[in-house]
Amino acid sequence: MSKNFIKPSILPGFMELLPNEQRIFDDIATKILKVYEKNGCYPIDTPVIEKADVLLVKSGGETEKQVYAFQKGKNDLALRFDLTVPFARYVAQHINELEFPFKRYQLGKVYRGERNQRGRYREFYQLDIDVINKDKLSVDNDAWVISLASQAFKEIKLPNYKFQISNRKILSGIFEYLQIENTFETMNLIDKYDKMPTNEFQAELEKLIGEEKSNFINKIMSINGSSAQIINQLKGFDINETYAEGVNEIARVVKMLEILKVEEKEYDINLKIIRGLDYYTGTVFETKLIGNESYGSICSGGRYDNLAENYTDTVLPGVGISIGLTRLFFVLQEIGFIEIYNLNRSDDFIILPLGDTMDYCSIILDKLLANGSRASIYFDDASLKKKLKYANNLKIQNVIIVGEEEVKNKIVKIKDMVSGEEKIIKIDDL
């Protein structure tokens, strides 16, 4: 009687990797985390499940539609949709135990009910840094978090990326000046500028705010040139205090990026960047891969004036940047970057016993592990050809074949599976 097997599969919108891909994924994450750690950030973790009223207190629009919410007994619960809102709750809850300004990094999975499409995930890793302070936070921190992302991308040798930087106060000031009331709809439309044909965008904008106001906004958004040229042109408009504040802030961010050694080729000012989440108030940024812009942003974030206002009376302004690590990995697979990724395997060893040599293999293993190498013994009975194929398929660089001759002469024979070279050393020199 045949058994009815269930076909092994996962839901759409979730990523699983094979072991060698997972090692590359983990190596990328580790390198980025080391950048954040050495720059004075501290690690935290928060629960994947939060109380729904805590998590959704400041969400709305598209954000709330994507949240996985459910009930367990009498409790209304939700899966975190990013790491920033739980971070705000965390800071408010532990406010008397933290030192401010508080700089944190966090790697964790988040969940969004995204419409199923290629490269969009419902479960994905985010890797965040945030700085939060009491009462006020210098705009210099906005540039600092961008500089950390820049360092991280250089560390993993990511080519041709560009930060797109804007400030929400610029458009907010213009909206005040033009007395635009349907700001939310207008902001949402501008956020889709690069995803629509120009004539379609213009027609939709005119429908929302009229031709005269639409022309004025387009005039501002069409300003181009170097960062310095764009800032000078923006300063030429005498609009209002909110607008001027936004222009001055973006000018300061650019100045600080220069001081923090972020090269001018790494960023552009792009006034069409809005960011969809509702809590951003000042500087905002997204990151595109040049030549592969169709994949969307791989890293984004911005300034929030008081994200924790619903949890505490203390004003807690902050700024953060988030790398969508799962999405980034997908894009890097698509463009062939993962195939050429330099995962250092020079300290990978596998020991292949021939005959009754396990005692000697164990001594070799202990020495390798003590030296910090990654090593294991092939315990199962198989031909040498099969053992070598196993090592090759796992991309283990160094193979140590241990036979009676090696035991007798107290030597170790190491074969480099990449170059094919063999070397013999005394076990005491291993």
Side-chain angles (χ1 to χ4, degrees):
M1 184 176 177
S2 63
K3 185 177 179 179
N4 292 322
F5 289 104
I6 297 170
K7 183 182 178 182
S9 61
I10 61 171
L11 292 165
F14 292 75
M15 177 184 276
E16 276 187 341
L17 300 174
L18 291 172
N20 273 312
E21 294 172 322
Q22 191 68 54
R23 285 194 73 191
I24 295 173
F25 183 97
D26 291 349
D27 190 68
I28 290 171
T30 299
K31 284 176 176 172
I32 296 172
L33 289 170
K34 282 181 179 176
V35 168
Y36 297 165
E37 177 74 27
K38 75 179 183 181
N39 276 279
C41 298
Y42 290 85
I44 71 163
D45 196 13
T46 57
V48 169
I49 301 173
E50 294 265 5
K51 295 176 181 178
D53 59 347
V54 170
L55 198 65
L56 303 177
V57 69
K58 202 167 181 175
S59 70
E62 290 301 311
T63 303
E64 192 159 342
K65 291 176 187 174
Q66 294 177 358
V67 171
Y68 284 106
F70 57 97
Q71 274 194 316
K72 180 68 174 175
K74 295 179 180 179
N75 298 313
D76 292 321
L77 307 172
L79 299 182
R80 64 188 180 195
F81 59 85
D82 71 0
L83 299 179
T84 308
V85 176
F87 172 57
R89 188 268 309 151
Y90 177 95
V91 173
Q93 187 172 340
H94 300 286
I95 195 164
N96 295 321
E97 303 157 81
L98 300 171
E99 291 298 323
F100 293 91
F102 178 50
K103 302 174 182 180
R104 83 81 152 92
Y105 67 84
Q106 182 177 357
L107 172 64
K109 284 183 175 180
V110 300
Y111 298 84
R112 294 184 191 173
E114 295 271 13
R115 186 166 55 86
N116 189 33
Q117 52 186 314
R118 200 160 165 268
R120 305 292 293 184
Y121 290 92
R122 295 173 178 175
E123 175 190 69
F124 56 97
Y125 278 101
Q126 281 191 336
L127 212 174
D128 285 17
I129 41 171
D130 284 86
V131 189
I132 201 162
N133 201 13
K134 290 180 178 178
D135 301 324
K136 60 182 181 178
L137 182 74
S138 168
V139 75
D140 292 358
N141 290 281
D142 300 16
W144 182 74
V145 296
I146 296 172
S147 78
L148 261 61
S150 166
Q151 290 178 48
F153 290 152
K154 288 170 184 170
E155 188 66 27
I156 65 172
K157 297 180 171 53
L158 183 68
N160 302 324
Y161 61 87
K162 188 161 275 195
F163 300 105
Q164 311 282 307
I165 306 169
S166 187
N167 191 299
R168 276 194 169 188
K169 291 176 185 176
I170 294 173
L171 269 181
S172 295
I174 293 170
F175 287 180
E176 290 170 22
Y177 173 71
L178 297 176
Q179 296 181 327
I180 293 172
E181 293 179 357
N182 50 351
T183 57
F184 182 77
E185 293 85 350
T186 309
M187 283 270 195
N188 268 351
L189 180 63
I190 292 171
D191 197 37
K192 297 171 185 172
Y193 183 96
D194 290 330
K195 301 167 188 169
M196 300 171 66
T198 306
N199 58 342
E200 186 182 327
F201 172 81
Q202 183 65 32
E204 288 294 320
L205 190 59
E206 286 182 15
K207 195 186 298 181
L208 275 175
I209 60 174
E211 185 178 356
E212 188 178 345
K213 293 176 181 180
S214 175
N215 288 339
F216 187 85
I217 288 175
N218 272 315
K219 184 179 179 181
I220 301 285
M221 288 200 309
S222 62
I223 292 172
N224 55 33
S226 68
S227 297
Q229 289 169 335
I230 291 172
I231 289 166
N232 283 335
Q233 290 180 73
L234 290 173
K235 286 182 175 179
F237 290 89
D238 184 15
I239 293 179
N240 55 26
E241 191 177 331
T242 304
Y243 172 87
E245 197 174 309
V247 174
N248 289 335
E249 285 182 4
I250 207 168
R252 180 62 187 177
V253 168
V254 167
K255 176 65 177 173
M256 280 302 299
L257 288 174
E258 182 184 343
I259 290 170
L260 294 168
K261 307 295 187 297
V262 179
E263 299 173 68
E264 196 169 351
K265 67 179 183 180
E266 292 181 66
Y267 62 88
D268 281 331
I269 293 176
N270 183 349
L271 300 178
K272 297 181 286 291
I273 300 298
I274 302 293
R275 300 293 300 126
L277 291 169
D278 313 316
Y279 46 69
Y280 293 120
T281 54
T283 306
V284 284
F285 28 80
E286 294 186 350
T287 315
K288 302 290 178 68
L289 293 179
I290 304 305
N292 293 283
E293 291 87 350
S294 62
Y295 289 108
S297 179
I298 55 157
C299 170
S300 55
R303 163 69 69 127
Y304 38 90
D305 283 341
N306 192 12
L307 187 62
E309 65 185 339
N310 292 292
Y311 312 129
T312 175
D313 289 335
T314 306
V315 176
L316 293 167
V319 62
I321 194 164
S322 175
I323 298 173
L325 207 56
T326 304
R327 180 172 178 72
L328 173 62
F329 194 83
F330 166 80
V331 173
L332 297 182
Q333 283 178 313
E334 290 285 293
I335 66 175
F337 179 83
I338 296 303
E339 291 176 25
I340 59 169
Y341 184 82
N342 183 23
L343 181 63
N344 182 18
R345 301 178 190 270
S346 61
D347 64 347
D348 277 9
F349 290 83
I350 189 166
I351 303 162
L352 308 182
L354 298 180
D356 186 14
T357 59
M358 195 59 72
D359 285 344
Y360 192 69
C361 289
S362 176
I363 295 168
I364 295 171
L365 178 66
D366 288 345
K367 285 183 174 289
L368 289 170
L369 294 177
N371 289 338
S373 296
R374 185 176 185 272
S376 65
I377 298 173
Y378 191 108
F379 291 111
D380 291 282
D381 187 28
S383 67
L384 179 59
K385 182 179 179 182
K386 184 176 180 181
K387 291 177 181 179
L388 289 170
K389 184 180 179 183
Y390 174 82
N392 204 43
N393 287 345
L394 287 180
K395 296 184 170 59
I396 297 172
Q397 186 162 336
N398 303 292
V399 168
I400 297 175
I401 301 170
V402 180
E404 291 177 3
E405 183 185 342
E406 284 75 28
V407 176
K408 179 182 175 183
N409 296 311
K410 293 189 170 15
I411 59 173
V412 178
K413 185 187 291 182
I414 305 172
K415 179 175 181 177
D416 188 314
M417 298 293 281
V418 177
S419 66
E421 294 178 3
E422 287 188 2
K423 62 180 176 182
I424 297 173
I425 59 174
K426 292 184 179 297
I427 190 166
D428 290 339
D429 297 330
L430 183 62

